[in-house]
Amino acid sequence: MRASQFIVEGPQENANVVEMFRKFLPLAMEVLEVDSLPKMRFAPDLNTGDQPSFGMYSPDDNMLAVALANRHPVDILRTVAHELVHFKQNMNGELNPNSGETGSPHENQAHEIAGVIMRHFNKRYPEYLKSKPL
């Protein structure tokens, strides 16, 4: 999937975001050592049930969903990075019904690797830290 193929629900308020994704996704794919991406859905908010969240990955339909409203673009990228780690975990056959639990090894690994991806991205493209929230 290319950045221009994202499914976006609601107004696209910052054209810079597409450019950021075009730079971000290849870097994330390199760090994660993947050659494909899941389907992605972006919406103002997500209905994630009992556990409020800005993002989620569904292994059942290989879909990553991320909330956009009132968020800094770099924070959105971090959420995408976190959910891409879950995508990679799923590709490796590592996920189980408890993988999304707070403090689980899979959840902690997603936080850790997303942080590494964002450190690389922010070092390479520090100008995006000055972006305005969507």
Side-chain angles (χ1 to χ4, degrees), residues 27 112-125:
L27 186 147
E112 178 184 343
I113 296 173
V116 170
I117 292 168
M118 293 314 300
R119 294 274 306 244
H120 288 300
F121 182 80
N122 292 335
K123 185 173 184 177
R124 195 175 294 179
Y125 304 106

Side-chain angles (χ1 to χ4, degrees), residues 74-92:
V74 172
D75 183 48
I76 293 168
L77 294 180
R78 194 204 177 289
T79 300
V80 171
H82 177 100
E83 301 308 331
L84 285 175
V85 174
H86 291 315
F87 164 69
K88 172 72 183 258
Q89 292 166 337
N90 187 51
M91 287 178 57
N92 292 342

